[in-house]
Amino acid sequence: MLSHHDDFGRVADYDNLYLAFRDCMRGVSWKESVQRYYSNALRNIMEIHRKLLDGETLHGGFVEFTIRERGKTRNIKSIHISERVLQKCLCDQVLTPVLSRSLIYDNGACLKGKGVHFAIRRFILHLTKFHRKNKSHDGYALQIDFAKYFDNVDHEILFEMIDSRIGDSRVREVTREFVGAFGDGRSLGMGSQISQIAAVFYPDRLDHFIKEVLRVKYYGRYMDDLYLIHESKAYLEACLDRITSFCDLLKITLNAKKTRITRLSQGVVFLKGKYTLLPSGKVLRRPLKDSTKRMRTKLVKFREFIAARKMGYEDLSISYRSWRGNYMRRFDAYHRIRHMDRLYNDLFLNTDRGT
């Protein structure tokens, strides 16, 4: 029996579109394009409603730009606010509720109640349970990373998976239009909500294969970062061979440089942190050095922005407190935070702010 969420009427519903619009405004209401859309919000939402019912083309093109983050160049395809509203309504009302029903619990990305902190908590719990079961920290983690994951998602495979779960043909047509806009048969655009749920869902068969066929109990995935924990290195090597073959069916390529087997006692890198299982069963949580280095660089740059009056002290404080709070929550890094606090005070608090 189909879920009550599997209904095109939920996407075309005016009230649902308006709720999606209100959510899309959060945090970006200062943007000129959003303000223009807001000034005629009711008329704009009625236009989306009409286009949906009339079956008209919904995709309006992209604003494309490139960013460089942590040494990686990322091509971003940004969509107009009107399309963001429709994609949010489509995802919140149909795609996410329906597609997420089959996801394993330890699929930690982009879902309500989950995220980076959820994935890290589950990883630490798996390490702790491993120690409790084996009475030892002598074990291994197989870490897997997909190479250029968003660029290589195969549309036909994705559509076949979606079609097997979505019964409403009009929902499938709208979904195909949005996904197809990102490339000729391959790739998903970063920054789009429909891309996020599609990327979370695409390796779902692989997740079930690892849990149910390979019988790996301590397994988790955050988008394209996977880990398997086991006491036998030989078994993980065999798992890697079978996972590689399974990924070939999904046309997913593994990143050879980041796919490796690591001793738990030597520390496992996951989501920008290094986690080491100690003989006592405690998990030592350390941040990677690069993350601290990037914040030091930012603070020096922020000082220049403040001197040029391109940034205010309030924005500076919010940025630093956000980074500091995240660090304290994720890592055992008391001394590193103290060093950063001293740098922050030396740069900003121990000098005359002027007027």
Side-chain angles (χ1 to χ4, degrees):
M1 182 178 179
L2 293 177
S3 166
H4 69 281
H5 286 281
D6 187 2
D7 180 7
F8 178 79
R10 298 179 67 92
V11 183
D13 181 79
Y14 181 86
D15 290 337
N16 288 339
L17 287 167
Y18 184 77
L19 288 174
F21 159 69
R22 298 293 298 181
D23 286 343
C24 283
M25 283 194 60
R26 292 178 182 173
V28 294
S29 58
W30 54 271
K31 291 185 177 181
E32 183 181 353
S33 60
V34 177
Q35 291 176 359
R36 286 199 306 267
Y37 192 86
Y38 178 74
S39 64
N40 290 290
L42 299 182
R43 182 184 299 173
N44 289 328
I45 293 170
M46 283 298 295
E47 181 67 9
I48 297 176
H49 176 78
R50 183 192 64 77
K51 285 185 176 181
L52 282 167
L53 295 182
D54 292 346
E56 294 186 14
T57 299
L58 301 166
H59 176 62
F62 298 108
V63 176
E64 300 188 39
F65 56 94
T66 300
I67 62 172
R68 187 165 180 81
E69 182 182 39
R70 300 186 180 96
K72 294 182 179 179
T73 299
R74 303 185 185 275
N75 297 316
I76 307 298
K77 292 183 177 181
S78 177
I79 57 178
H80 188 267
I81 177 66
S82 61
E83 193 169 331
R84 276 207 309 277
V85 170
L86 178 50
Q87 284 200 23
K88 182 164 187 60
C89 188
L90 172 65
C91 291
D92 290 355
Q93 297 298 326
V94 180
L95 293 184
T96 300
V98 174
L99 299 183
S100 63
R101 286 184 299 171
S102 69
L103 302 181
I104 65 170
Y105 183 69
D106 287 304
N107 184 340
C110 301
L111 297 172
K112 187 176 182 180
K114 296 186 177 182
V116 172
H117 292 294
F118 168 86
I120 292 172
R121 286 198 305 270
R122 292 296 296 176
F123 178 55
I124 293 174
L125 180 63
H126 286 163
L127 290 172
T128 303
K129 285 187 173 182
F130 174 89
H131 183 275
R132 190 179 303 154
K133 176 185 176 183
N134 295 278
K135 304 295 190 293
S136 170
H137 70 322
D138 187 17
Y140 300 87
L142 167 58
Q143 300 169 258
I144 296 174
D145 183 86
F146 299 151
K148 297 183 178 179
Y149 176 49
F150 273 73
D151 293 336
N152 291 307
V153 170
D154 185 273
H155 290 179
E156 285 308 312
I157 296 175
L158 175 63
F159 293 151
E160 183 270 323
M161 294 174 64
I162 291 175
D163 290 351
S164 69
R165 289 165 173 78
I166 302 290
D168 195 311
S169 60
R170 290 176 295 179
V171 172
R172 296 202 300 262
E173 289 172 5
V174 173
T175 303
R176 281 176 175 266
E177 179 181 343
F178 285 139
V179 172
F182 289 114
D184 186 15
R186 189 175 289 269
S187 85
L188 295 172
M190 301 186 70
S192 161
Q193 186 169 349
I194 201 168
S195 294
Q196 295 296 318
I197 185 58
V200 168
F201 172 70
Y202 188 69
D204 182 53
R205 292 173 179 172
L206 175 63
D207 294 337
H208 286 277
F209 175 75
I210 293 172
K211 295 286 287 185
E212 298 160 15
V213 178
L214 300 181
R215 309 293 293 178
V216 177
K217 185 175 182 180
Y218 307 124
Y219 164 72
R221 175 169 68 87
Y222 187 90
M223 202 61 82
D224 59 344
D225 290 327
L226 297 71
Y227 66 83
L228 295 77
I229 299 173
H230 200 270
E231 61 269 19
S232 170
K233 182 179 181 180
Y235 184 71
L236 290 179
E237 289 173 341
C239 286
L240 178 57
D241 289 339
R242 298 188 68 182
I243 289 170
T244 302
S245 298
F246 198 97
C247 285
D248 289 341
L249 299 176
L250 294 174
K251 299 184 180 180
I252 293 175
T253 303
L254 303 189
N255 187 329
K257 291 183 178 180
K258 295 184 179 181
T259 297
R260 56 187 176 269
I261 297 177
T262 310
R263 282 186 176 274
L264 302 181
S265 58
Q266 293 178 343
V268 182
V269 175
F270 182 60
L271 297 180
K272 313 306 178 186
K274 187 173 184 178
Y275 301 86
T276 305
L277 183 60
L278 303 179
S280 64
K282 175 181 171 60
V283 178
L284 185 63
R285 305 168 298 155
R286 293 294 191 193
L288 299 181
K289 292 182 179 180
D290 286 350
S291 60
T292 311
K293 183 178 179 180
R294 283 194 299 271
M295 193 60 199
R296 286 198 190 99
T297 303
K298 279 187 178 180
L299 288 178
V300 173
K301 183 64 67 175
F302 288 166
R303 188 181 187 185
E304 296 176 4
F305 288 165
I306 286 178
R309 299 187 181 275
K310 295 180 179 179
M311 184 180 192
Y313 280 98
E314 182 178 355
D315 292 333
L316 164 71
S317 177
I318 291 173
S319 178
Y320 183 70
R321 283 189 285 113
S322 174
W323 175 87
R324 192 180 190 277
N326 181 62
Y327 241 53
M328 292 182 67
R329 184 177 177 183
R330 290 183 57 178
F331 303 119
D332 303 313
Y334 173 79
H335 293 292
R336 191 170 296 190
I337 291 174
R338 286 285 301 274
H339 288 235
M340 289 297 295
D341 285 345
R342 282 198 290 270
L343 175 63
Y344 179 83
N345 293 337
D346 289 341
L347 287 175
F348 303 105
L349 301 186
N350 295 334
T351 58
D352 182 13
R353 293 187 179 183
T355 59

